[in-house]
């Protein structure tokens, strides 16, 4: 698959996940016990997205199970959370079923359109757990697997913009 094909697949997957997720409370409105996502699980992970270029739109966080077949697949996600974007750093506390291994994909829905905008290449910022390289295309599943040993842990994701 070419880089363009890989990015199109990722963009479509992120758009489907975003469209299925309801709007969430702004990050600043999240209480200590609150987490975002359409599924209200008992545990959470704190996703810290660094390098957000402006306050426009939402940060969309998609959580995938430890299953390479479901990573970036349509309806393969466990949960999708949305929070208001904050220039610089945006935090989202997203509900997860419990400790385990997950993969995380994020994008900055700058225009609030509810989908990951792209042409031949992405038009909006994106990132993945473990901050793998995306120069040669989408990261491998093994590169984004993240061990969450207990609820409430934080992971930092560096945003990449075209």
């Amino acid at each position: 698959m070419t880089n363009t094909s890989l990015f199109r697949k990722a963009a479509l997957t992120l758009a489907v996940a975003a469209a299925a997720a309801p709007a969430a409370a702004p990050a600043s409105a999240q209480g200590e016990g609150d987490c975002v996502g359409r599924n209200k699980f008992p545990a959470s992970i704190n996703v810290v997205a660094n390098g957000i270029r402006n306050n426009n739109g939402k940060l969309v966080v998609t959580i995938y199970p430890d299953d390479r077949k479901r990573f970036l697949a349509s309806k393969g996600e466990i949960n999708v959370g949305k929070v208001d974007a904050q220039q610089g750093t945006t935090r989202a506390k997203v509900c997860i079923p419990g400790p385990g291994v997950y993969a995380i994909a994020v994008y900055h829905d700058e225009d609030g359109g509810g989908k990951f905008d792209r042409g031949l290449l992405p038009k909006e910022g994106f990132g993945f757990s473990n901050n793998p390289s995306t120069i040669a295309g989408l990261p491998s599943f093994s590169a984004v697997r993240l061990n969450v040993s207990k609820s409430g842990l934080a992971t930092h994701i560096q945003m990449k913009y075209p």
Side-chain angles (χ1 to χ4, degrees):
M1 243 183 224
T2 65
N3 287 350
T4 301
S5 296
L6 291 172
F7 279 114
R8 284 185 179 173
K9 179 184 175 192
L12 178 61
T13 301
L14 290 171
V16 168
S28 59
Q30 288 180 269
E32 187 59 35
D34 297 336
C35 57
V36 297
R38 69 173 171 252
N39 296 313
K40 297 301 180 189
F41 295 117
S44 65
I45 184 165
N46 294 298
V47 177
V48 181
N50 296 306
I52 302 288
R53 71 175 166 194
N54 57 49
N55 293 330
N56 299 341
K58 302 279 185 186
L59 177 71
V60 180
V61 180
T62 305
I63 309 290
Y64 294 94
D66 189 20
D67 180 349
R68 85 176 58 255
K69 292 178 183 173
R70 291 179 62 183
F71 178 58
L72 298 178
S74 177
K75 299 183 183 178
E77 72 278 355
I78 290 174
N79 215 354
V80 178
K82 297 180 182 183
V83 296
D84 290 339
Q86 301 294 316
Q87 184 174 5
T89 300
T90 299
R91 291 172 174 78
K93 185 176 183 179
V94 183
C95 301
I96 58 174
V101 178
Y102 300 95
I104 302 172
V106 301
Y107 77 93
H108 181 188
D109 184 14
E110 288 184 84
D111 65 0
K115 63 182 181 67
F116 184 59
D117 294 331
R118 56 29 180 190
L120 293 177
L121 295 173
K123 293 183 179 178
E124 296 180 308
F126 64 95
F128 296 94
S129 45
N130 299 327
N131 298 304
S133 173
T134 55
I135 292 172
L138 292 173
S140 68
F141 176 70
S142 61
V144 299
R145 291 179 75 233
L146 180 68
N147 184 18
V148 180
S149 59
K150 65 180 183 175
S151 181
L153 291 181
T155 187
H156 294 257
I157 296 177
Q158 184 62 44
M159 298 298 292
K160 297 174 184 181
Y161 286 85

